[in-house]
């Protein structure tokens, strides 16, 4: 009888597991999913209660055969893919493939790849979770029904290769809606006034005007500002009140997936996708000098802030040793989860706090270290004493006006001490030579932070507040001297565009997607070409707006954030056993089918009719419509074919269409080779070209450079049985290249300039010029397999 088989999802985990399990188990990996719906058809029998047709994934036959071989004749198989819905599906599919009479399957949930985590999981095997599997299958069915039935509509009405998704389309809508808010925003003027004040003793400090006759003041324009200043110039500045509050600042909870992504994006400049990839490496195991790979963090896809009591006590021990007993809590601090949290896993934390960043640093690459440092500090800080801060607010009277100034004094650092001592950023810089990265305002509008609380330390920061302003000793009733009164004009800012971090936050707050899907959503909407990431902010492009508007018009429920969030709740309810899959699918599909039928008949065709605009054709005054062709979007006259006007266009900051001036030179250049009519210069998407005046009957075009004389190189064509010569040419877009003068009989072409010099190593009849910043100008051999190179 063969040994029991343990099946995991990732091949990387196999080595880590074998370190702890030794020879007692066979260990094999599925390398992700092994079964899925068919690629080229719907794969859902809607009339038969949405029965799904799952097939072995093409290219996974070798993996499946290895699983069968590893199973041998064992009667016990432990299914240990990731402890989430996707992992449950992989477990069920593996069981289907390896099903055999008398063979028993057990589900084990490994939340941390340590000896303790693996041993506990194997000691507590359970039956595969059919409710969790049903939730995954329902999600997959919903996504397939939406994607495979709406996407073909987009292919027919807009352009091929486009796609719609149950969640991705909602994310695009959120970005488009925000961009429209920005375009519709009209800035409003307002002013602020600050006074540089001097007490009996230095230093000078600044206070800002805040009230008039005890009420909050608003200064709308320069005229009002001047009136206020004229009163202040003769006013006496007197310290009115000094209020000191002692506040306790508690640390933030350990990371959940969304907060880890947001923090890594903001602090480390990682993308959400990169964050999850690096976290996966830390979870699956890294060699840290203990005789084999070891998992450094718990499972990284979670929406729960729950932590194990044992891990919390371990953290308290370390805190007492490193900082002293006053920094450690008397008992562990536990955090309450928000409503509707699945709570299947702990928060993201180090598997052992004694694996400090400084200890594991030599074994990690730069990215792994930076992310581990973030996770370790956040967890340890969560078990440290609160910081005690004296918050001072000073009110200063100047006639009927009130100025305020404030500041904080840290009485006891508490958890904040962690961020200034052990394994600090300076340790990282000493290893990697990095400087602290500056988060510049690059949004093109405003980089207002989505949160004013520093996620690392939990300290509130007020926008625009001067940090570390040193105040002199002040007393109530003390007179102050106004050295300078400074007015400053401002304008209100539009809402900021979404960064990856703020979009994840928006999705999370609206209940759209789940921890395992945020990174995929963000990468998908970019890959599909609906949005661009411009200086780290999402900006919808014209295609994104067009597709979004068509989908919102035809499928308003699908793109409604509330509807999408409710569907996520339904999936959660299926997983916890309070709802059945067939109920959810029937409720969804009945109205969706009606919408689909209506859209099939009535969705606007951007390929054909186009999207109407308010612009008139400059040639015939008929309406111009937005259309999409093989080269992208353009604007065209509805009077076609009688009027052939078309042009590229852009949009201004308000979203108004601006037609690009099209250059048309009606001077005859040559006769058309196809019909004999005159050819003239025109300008298209890729620059100037020659077009036949017989359009649309004759659609012949030529490169503007086709008639240019060829440049001789005195080099024979290197292709066998060709006696042509290599000449310099121009591409259709005006770029220099080199080809054979016997084209089209000979197809030789090269972007690099040939040089009449024989290769001393392989005997090639010529070399080519290449130039790089690193090597300068070089001559290289173009022959495959020959690496000869010489500097010029």
């Amino acid at each position: 009888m063969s040994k029991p088989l343990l099946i995991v999802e990732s091949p990387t985990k196999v080595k880590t597991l074998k370190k702890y399990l030794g020879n007692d188990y066979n260990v094999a990996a599925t390398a992700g999913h092994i079964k899925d719906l068919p690629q080229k058809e719907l794969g859902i029998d809607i009339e038969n209660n949405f029965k799904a047709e799952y097939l072995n994934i093409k290219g996974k036959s070798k993996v499946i055969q290895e699983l069968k071989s590893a199973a041998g004749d064992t009667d016990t198989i432990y299914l240990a893919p990731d402890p989430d819905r996707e992992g449950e599906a992989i477990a069920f599919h593996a069981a289907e493939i390896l099903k055999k009479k008398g063979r028993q399957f057990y589900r084990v949930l490994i939340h941390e790849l340590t000896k303790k985590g693996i041993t506990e999981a194997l000691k507590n095997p359970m039956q595969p979770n059919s409710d969790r599997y049903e939730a995954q299958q329902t999600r997959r069915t919903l996504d397939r029904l939406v994607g495979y039935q709406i996407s073909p509509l987009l292919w027919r009405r807009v352009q091929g290769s486009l796609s719609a998704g149950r969640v991705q389309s909602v994310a695009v809508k959120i970005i488009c809606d925000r961009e429209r808010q920005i375009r519709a925003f009209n800035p409003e003027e307002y002013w602020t006034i600050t006074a540089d004040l001097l007490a009996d003793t230095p230093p000078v400090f600044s206070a800002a005007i805040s009230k008039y006759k005890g009420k909050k003041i608003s200064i709308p324009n320069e005229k009002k500002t001047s009136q206020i200043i004229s009163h202040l110039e003769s006013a006496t500045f007197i310290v009115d009140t000094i209020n000191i509050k002692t506040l306790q600042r508690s640390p933030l909870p350990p990371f959940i997936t969304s907060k880890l992504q947001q923090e890594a994006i903001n602090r480390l400049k990682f993308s959400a996708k990169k964050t999850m990839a690096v976290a996966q490496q830390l979870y699956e195991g890294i060699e840290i000098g203990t005789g084999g790979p070891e998992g450094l963090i718990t499972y990284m896809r979670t929406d729960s802030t729950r932590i194990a009591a044992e891990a919390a006590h371990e953290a308290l021990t370390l805190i007492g040793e490193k900082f002293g007993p006053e920094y450690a809590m008397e008992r562990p601090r536990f955090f309450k989860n928000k409503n509707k949290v699945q709570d299947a896993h702990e928060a993201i934390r180090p598997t052992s706090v004694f694996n400090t960043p400084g200890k594991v640093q030599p074994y990690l690459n730069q990215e792994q270290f930076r992310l581990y440092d973030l996770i370790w500090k956040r967890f340890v800080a969560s078990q440290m004493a609160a910081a005690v801060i004296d918050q001072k607010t000073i009110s200063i009277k100047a006639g009927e006006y009130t100025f305020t100034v404030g500041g904080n004094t840290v009485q006891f650092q508490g958890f904040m001490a962690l961020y200034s001592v052990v394994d600090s950023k300076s340790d990282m810089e000493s290893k990697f030579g990095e400087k602290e990265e500056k988060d510049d305002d690059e949004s093109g509008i405003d980089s207002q932070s989505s949160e004013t609380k520093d996620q690392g330390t939990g300290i509130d920061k007020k926008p625009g507040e001067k940090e570390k302003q040193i105040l002199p000793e002040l007393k109530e009733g003390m007179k102050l001297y106004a050295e300078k009164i400074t007015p400053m004009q401002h304008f209100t800012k539009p809402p900021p565009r979404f960064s990856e971090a703020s979009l994840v936050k928006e999705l999370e707050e609206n209940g759209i997607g789940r921890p395992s899907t945020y990174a995929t959503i963000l990468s998908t909407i970019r890959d599909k070409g609906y949005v661009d990431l411009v200086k780290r902010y999402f900006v919808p492009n014209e295609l994104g707006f067009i597709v979004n508007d068509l989908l919102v018009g035809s499928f308003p429920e699908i793109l409604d954030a509330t509807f999408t969030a409710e569907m996520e709740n339904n999936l959660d309810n299926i997983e916890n056993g309070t709802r059945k899959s067939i109920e959810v699918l029937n409720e969804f599909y009945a109205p969706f089918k009606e919408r689909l039928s209506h859209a099939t008949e009535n969705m606007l065709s951007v390929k054909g009719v186009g999207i109407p605009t308010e612009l008139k054709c400059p040639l015939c005054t008929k309406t111009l419509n937005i259309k999409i062709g093989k080269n992208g979007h353009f604007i065209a006259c509805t009077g076609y074919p009688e009027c052939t006007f078309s042009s590229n266009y852009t949009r201004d900051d308000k979203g108004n269409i601006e037609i690009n001036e099209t250059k048309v030179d009606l001077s005859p250049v040559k006769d058309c080779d196809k019909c004999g009519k005159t050819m003239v210069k025109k300008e298209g998407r890729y620059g100037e070209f020659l077009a036949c005046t017989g359009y649309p009957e004759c659609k012949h075009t030529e490169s503007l450079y086709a008639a240019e004389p060829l440049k001789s190189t005195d080099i024979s064509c290197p292709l066998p049985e060709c006696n042509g010569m290599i000449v310099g040419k121009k591409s259709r877009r005006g770029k220099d290249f080199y080809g054979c003068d016997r084209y089209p009989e000979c197809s030789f072409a090269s972007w690099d300039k040939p040089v009449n010099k024989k290769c001393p190593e392989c005997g090639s009849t010529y070399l080519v010029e290449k130039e790089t910043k690193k090597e300068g100008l070089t001559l290289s051999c173009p022959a495959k397999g020959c690496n000869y190179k010489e500097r010029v």
Side-chain angles (χ1 to χ4, degrees):
M1 183 68 66
S2 299
K3 294 179 287 188
L5 174 63
L6 180 69
I7 295 177
V8 292
E9 187 174 329
S10 168
T12 311
K13 294 180 185 176
V14 173
K15 190 175 179 182
T16 307
L17 287 161
K18 285 184 175 179
K19 169 188 172 182
Y20 296 112
L21 298 176
N23 295 317
D24 295 335
Y25 295 82
N26 286 326
V27 185
T30 64
H33 283 278
I34 51 178
K35 299 187 90 172
D36 199 3
L37 296 169
Q39 283 191 344
K40 296 186 178 180
E41 55 187 275
L42 184 63
I44 306 293
D45 188 348
I46 298 169
E47 303 302 323
N48 188 18
N49 288 332
F50 302 95
K51 184 178 179 181
E53 177 192 9
Y54 274 82
L55 307 174
N56 293 347
I57 294 175
K58 188 177 180 181
K60 283 296 183 79
S61 55
K62 183 180 178 182
V63 171
I64 292 171
Q65 189 56 48
E66 288 173 350
L67 289 173
K68 290 179 177 179
S69 177
D73 60 353
T74 186
D75 59 4
T76 306
I77 294 181
Y78 294 96
L79 304 167
D82 288 348
D84 55 17
R85 288 177 191 163
E86 297 304 310
E88 205 67 41
I90 293 170
F92 267 80
H93 292 156
E96 286 176 13
I97 286 172
L98 301 176
K99 190 175 181 180
K100 183 179 178 182
K101 186 177 180 180
R103 181 173 281 171
Q104 296 293 316
F105 292 91
Y106 299 98
R107 184 75 165 105
V108 291
L109 303 178
I110 303 175
H111 296 284
E112 57 181 78
L113 283 168
T114 60
K115 184 175 183 178
K116 174 177 169 291
I118 296 164
T119 304
E120 285 186 0
L122 289 170
K123 280 182 180 178
N124 298 283
M126 57 190 75
Q127 290 300 308
N129 190 325
S130 57
D131 289 335
R132 184 175 293 160
Y133 175 57
E134 189 175 340
Q136 190 277 342
Q137 296 286 278
T138 307
R139 194 273 307 163
R140 191 75 183 91
T141 299
L142 287 168
D143 290 348
R144 178 56 66 101
L145 290 172
V146 172
Y148 270 53
Q149 294 188 89
I150 295 181
S151 296
L153 278 176
L154 297 178
W155 303 342
R156 295 192 293 270
R157 306 301 170 91
V158 186
Q159 69 179 28
S161 77
L162 297 181
S163 73
R166 185 178 59 86
V167 179
Q168 76 176 47
S169 297
V170 180
V172 173
K173 181 179 182 295
I174 288 172
I175 295 169
C176 288
D177 289 348
R178 176 58 60 86
E179 193 67 20
R180 286 198 164 107
Q181 289 175 10
I182 293 168
R183 290 177 175 180
F185 182 84
N186 292 313
E188 294 182 5
E189 180 184 10
Y190 71 97
W191 287 70
T192 58
I193 299 173
T194 58
D196 289 351
L197 303 172
L198 179 64
D200 295 337
T201 57
V204 174
F205 64 97
S206 296
I209 195 167
S210 58
K211 293 179 181 179
Y212 173 65
K213 292 184 177 180
K215 294 182 179 180
K216 184 178 179 181
I217 192 169
S218 175
I219 310 175
N221 50 48
E222 187 175 9
K223 181 180 179 181
K224 182 66 175 177
T225 304
S226 298
Q227 292 173 358
I228 295 171
I229 290 177
S230 66
H231 287 105
L232 293 175
E233 285 173 344
S234 59
T236 301
F237 286 76
I238 299 173
V239 177
D240 184 34
T241 60
I242 300 174
N243 292 320
I244 300 176
K245 290 182 180 178
T246 300
L247 306 175
Q248 284 198 344
R249 300 289 192 191
S250 295
L252 294 167
F255 283 123
I256 58 176
T257 303
S258 59
K259 292 294 186 283
L260 176 64
Q261 290 175 350
Q262 292 169 46
E263 194 70 356
I265 291 164
N266 287 330
R267 288 184 172 274
L268 308 183
K269 305 301 179 283
F270 286 5
S271 65
K273 185 176 181 181
K274 181 177 181 178
T275 301
M276 296 311 292
V278 176
Q280 184 91 27
Q281 296 165 11
L282 296 172
Y283 164 70
E284 290 183 345
I286 292 172
E287 170 61 63
I288 59 170
T290 56
E294 184 173 328
L296 294 181
I297 64 171
T298 54
Y299 191 58
M300 63 284 160
R301 295 185 182 94
T302 177
D303 55 4
S304 171
T305 55
R306 174 175 58 83
I307 56 174
E310 184 180 344
H313 282 290
E314 187 183 72
L316 292 179
T317 301
L318 177 133
I319 293 163
E321 292 175 357
K322 286 219 172 202
F323 295 92
E326 67 274 20
Y327 285 88
M329 301 285 291
E330 290 185 5
R331 61 181 65 88
R333 181 189 285 113
F334 297 107
F335 299 87
K336 288 185 179 180
N337 281 318
K338 294 181 181 179
N339 293 333
K340 300 178 181 178
V341 164
Q342 294 183 46
D343 201 32
H345 323 292
E346 285 188 61
I348 305 168
R349 61 168 177 82
T351 53
S352 171
V353 294
F354 293 107
N355 284 329
T356 65
K359 178 181 175 182
V360 300
Q361 186 175 359
Y363 304 99
L364 306 182
N365 63 33
Q366 178 182 356
E367 293 170 351
Q368 292 166 346
F369 173 78
R370 297 177 76 195
L371 192 65
Y372 182 74
D373 182 67
L374 207 63
I375 293 167
W376 187 90
K377 285 180 179 175
R378 178 73 163 240
F379 173 67
V380 173
S382 75
Q383 298 305 310
M384 293 180 73
V388 180
I389 299 169
D390 289 337
Q391 189 177 72
K392 181 185 288 186
T393 304
I394 302 169
S395 294
I396 301 164
K397 286 285 187 180
E400 294 181 306
Y401 297 93
T402 303
F403 284 72
T404 57
V405 62
N408 294 329
T409 303
V410 178
Q411 195 181 106
F412 173 65
Q413 280 193 309
F415 73 93
M416 292 165 54
L418 177 67
Y419 292 91
S420 59
V421 283
V422 292
D423 303 315
S424 66
K425 191 174 179 99
S426 60
D427 295 325
M428 182 174 66
E429 290 172 357
S430 67
K431 176 179 179 182
F432 298 115
E434 284 202 341
K435 293 182 179 178
E436 185 172 352
E437 295 179 83
K438 183 180 179 183
D439 189 8
D440 294 328
D441 175 9
E442 298 177 324
S443 67
I445 46 173
D446 185 28
S447 63
Q448 299 169 26
S449 174
S450 59
E451 294 184 0
T452 57
K453 180 171 282 189
D454 187 308
Q455 286 289 332
T457 63
I459 298 299
D460 289 320
K461 292 181 180 178
K462 295 178 182 177
E465 182 179 69
K466 287 189 177 182
E467 293 190 20
K468 298 182 180 179
Q469 183 175 202
I470 299 173
L471 300 177
E473 191 67 36
L474 299 174
K475 295 179 181 179
E476 292 181 359
M478 179 183 286
K479 288 186 178 181
L480 303 173
Y481 169 70
E483 282 201 341
K484 184 170 68 172
I485 297 174
T486 306
M488 186 169 290
Q489 183 187 39
H490 307 271
F491 291 92
T492 55
K493 299 289 183 79
R497 292 187 176 113
F498 287 105
S499 65
E500 282 204 344
S502 59
L503 184 57
V504 168
K505 185 172 185 285
E506 185 78 8
L507 295 173
E508 179 192 22
E509 289 180 348
N510 285 281
I512 300 167
R514 283 295 179 260
S516 59
T517 62
Y518 296 137
T520 304
I521 293 168
L522 268 56
S523 59
T524 298
I525 60 177
R526 289 180 62 194
D527 294 342
K528 296 299 180 182
Y530 297 140
V531 301
D532 301 313
L533 198 62
V534 180
K535 295 181 179 178
R536 298 178 51 239
Y537 290 85
F538 285 111
V539 181
N541 53 39
E542 195 69 11
L543 179 63
F545 274 121
I546 290 170
V547 171
N548 175 70
D549 292 348
L550 290 175
L551 293 179
V552 170
S554 297
F555 303 95
E557 294 88 358
I558 297 294
L559 272 76
D560 180 66
T562 303
F563 174 85
T564 305
E566 185 59 36
M567 190 58 68
E568 295 292 347
N569 291 335
N570 286 335
L571 295 176
D572 292 345
N573 291 334
I574 293 171
E575 181 170 345
N576 62 37
T578 58
R579 290 214 68 180
K580 291 296 181 184
S581 173
I582 189 64
E583 296 173 3
V584 174
L585 291 172
N586 278 325
E587 286 178 9
F588 165 79
Y589 196 71
F592 174 70
K593 183 180 179 181
E594 291 182 13
R595 288 284 186 184
L596 188 66
S597 177
H598 185 268
T600 302
E601 297 295 326
N602 299 289
M603 182 184 277
L604 187 69
S605 173
V606 189
K607 279 183 175 179
V609 177
I611 301 172
T613 71
E614 296 179 354
L615 299 178
K616 300 298 180 182
C617 176
L619 300 183
C620 73
T621 72
K622 289 186 178 180
T623 302
L624 294 176
N625 281 8
I626 293 171
K627 291 188 159 191
I628 288 187
K630 64 180 181 179
N631 293 323
H633 58 85
F634 63 99
I635 201 162
C637 182
T638 54
Y640 178 84
E642 289 78 15
C643 178
T644 60
F645 176 80
S646 66
S647 174
N648 293 329
Y649 68 92
T650 56
R651 291 187 185 269
D652 62 18
D653 292 341
K654 291 293 183 181
N656 300 313
I657 293 174
E658 295 181 339
I659 297 174
N660 295 351
E661 289 188 17
T662 303
K663 294 179 183 178
V664 179
D665 184 352
L666 298 180
S667 304
V669 177
K670 57 172 288 189
D671 292 336
C672 176
D673 295 338
K674 296 287 178 72
C675 71
K677 290 186 178 181
T678 302
M679 299 194 78
V680 296
K681 282 185 186 180
K682 288 191 176 182
E683 184 179 48
R685 183 177 177 86
Y686 300 110
E688 292 184 328
F689 65 99
L690 295 181
C692 180
T693 54
Y695 181 85
E697 289 77 16
C698 179
K699 298 181 180 180
H700 179 62
T701 62
E702 289 183 13
S703 168
L704 188 63
Y705 308 98
E708 287 194 5
L710 303 179
K711 300 174 184 176
S712 175
T713 62
D714 297 326
I715 300 173
S716 300
C717 179
L719 295 186
E721 300 180 5
C722 179
N723 56 8
M725 300 294 290
I726 295 176
V727 292
K729 297 184 177 183
K730 290 271 190 185
S731 71
R732 290 178 65 88
R733 299 181 188 178
K735 187 176 179 180
D736 290 326
F737 75 101
Y738 300 86
C740 182
D741 63 2
R742 293 194 61 196
Y743 177 82
E745 288 81 10
C746 178
S747 60
F748 172 81
S750 170
W751 290 115
D752 300 312
K753 181 180 178 181
V755 175
N756 196 8
K757 185 174 183 179
K758 192 173 182 179
C759 175
E761 290 190 4
C762 73
S764 171
T765 56
Y766 73 104
L767 301 176
V768 294
E769 280 187 5
K770 291 180 180 288
E771 188 168 10
T772 63
K773 288 183 179 179
K774 184 177 181 181
E775 296 182 327
L777 188 64
T778 61
L779 296 181
S780 303
C781 180
K784 287 185 178 179
C786 181
N787 297 318
Y788 177 74
K789 182 186 294 185
E790 65 178 69
R791 292 200 176 194
V792 177

